[in-house]
Amino acid sequence: MNLTMLIIGRLPLGVGIGYANQSVPVYLSEMAPPKLRGALNVCFQMAVTIGILIANLVNYGTSHMKKNGWRVSLVLAVVPAIIMTVGAIFLPDTPNSLIDRGQKEKAKTMLQKIRGSNNVDNEFEDLIIASDMSKQVENPWRNILQPRYRPQFTIAVLIPFFQQLTGINVIMFYAPVLFKTLGFGDGAALMTAVITGLVNVFATLISIFTVDRFGRRALFIIGGLIMLVCQVAVGAIIASVFGMNGQGTFSKELGNGTVGLICIYVAAFAWSWGPLGWLVPSEVFPMEIRSAGQSITVSVNMFFTFVIGQLFLTMLVI
């Protein structure tokens, strides 16, 4: 009914997003076989990109409603929330979690089930050893600051920090606003957001099929270079059209070219820094600090998502 109600409603939604981003990458890393861990973990990002695309389509559709279209758009978020809640009821516990709670027989049975083989003795023993070591750590939050965990702690902070500094959420959050500022009409701006959402989905497929074959480092470097080139090119085009006074008009050809560069930028992010920003931190933490490390990753990511989301609109009107 008012802004206060909207803000209060978004607060528990943010809590839910934080829980999901904390638990899903860790869950997938613990359940997936090593040779498929990268691809299955990238499926988390794939689901996110599909959700963004569906949200863009919903926004485009509700924008044509004469009344309360934005309310319909917001309330439809209950659909994926229900699917996630009901689906989670049927998810089994990971072998790591069962071992930590002393249910070793159940853990071994679960490990045999998810590996599709009874020959899991070596992996099972490794999990027990890792669990025993993790129980010796009384305070994972204090231990993660120790020098021996400094590389993992650095990754937990810097990867989500730079992931957000790529500016991807400016495109994901404000694509319609951005394209409208560049001279596109309301309908065209929303449709362009749908196009970038489609690019996001299909480019994530590339990561699923390449991350375990070519490794994480190569995708980070190649994706980062492509994003850099596209950002510089888009910045140069906008500067040439609008100059310092903000006055100017895109021609159809130049506007389409700018959209094309933004789509290439989104594609490069979608098969590199997007999924790898969640995959790599979930892989590098030993069990004794895994929960603390993943929490730091999510917190840094969400904090800079908030900062960039708040700063961009201000920067847009300066």
Side-chain angles (χ1 to χ4, degrees), residues 228-304:
L228 174 62
V229 171
C230 290
Q231 286 172 319
V232 171
V234 170
I237 291 172
I238 293 175
S240 68
V241 173
F242 292 99
M244 294 300 294
N245 58 11
Q247 301 297 318
T249 304
F250 268 109
S251 66
K252 182 178 180 180
E253 292 75 16
L254 205 55
N256 291 338
T258 303
V259 172
L261 285 170
I262 291 175
C263 286
I264 295 172
Y265 159 80
V266 170
F269 177 87
W271 54 260
S272 61
W273 281 84
L276 297 183
W278 298 110
L279 169 61
V280 173
S282 72
E283 289 183 316
V284 299
F285 296 114
M287 188 178 294
E288 62 267 23
I289 60 165
R290 182 174 293 164
S291 60
Q294 187 65 16
S295 296
I296 292 171
T297 299
V298 174
S299 297
V300 171
N301 187 293
M302 295 295 108
F303 176 74
F304 284 101

Side-chain angles (χ1 to χ4, degrees), residues 137-145 149 288-293:
V137 177
E138 296 181 359
N139 192 326
W141 290 96
R142 187 181 302 138
N143 276 271
I144 200 172
L145 298 176
Y149 296 127
E288 62 267 23
I289 60 165
R290 182 174 293 164
S291 60

Side-chain angles (χ1 to χ4, degrees), residues 163-185:
Q163 184 196 54
Q164 291 307 309
L165 247 63
T166 63
I168 187 62
N169 277 331
V170 169
I171 305 297
M172 294 295 105
F173 291 170
Y174 299 123
V177 178
L178 177 62
F179 290 126
K180 189 174 178 181
T181 303
L182 295 178
F184 291 82

Side-chain angles (χ1 to χ4, degrees), residues 158-212:
L158 291 186
I159 285 184
F161 170 74
F162 284 113
Q163 184 196 54
Q164 291 307 309
L165 247 63
T166 63
I168 187 62
N169 277 331
V170 169
I171 305 297
M172 294 295 105
F173 291 170
Y174 299 123
V177 178
L178 177 62
F179 290 126
K180 189 174 178 181
T181 303
L182 295 178
F184 291 82
D186 289 341
L190 285 169
M191 180 51 68
T192 305
V194 172
I195 293 171
T196 58
L198 277 170
V199 171
N200 201 14
V201 170
F202 286 110
T204 305
L205 287 171
I206 298 175
S207 185
I208 291 176
F209 293 110
T210 59
V211 67
D212 290 312

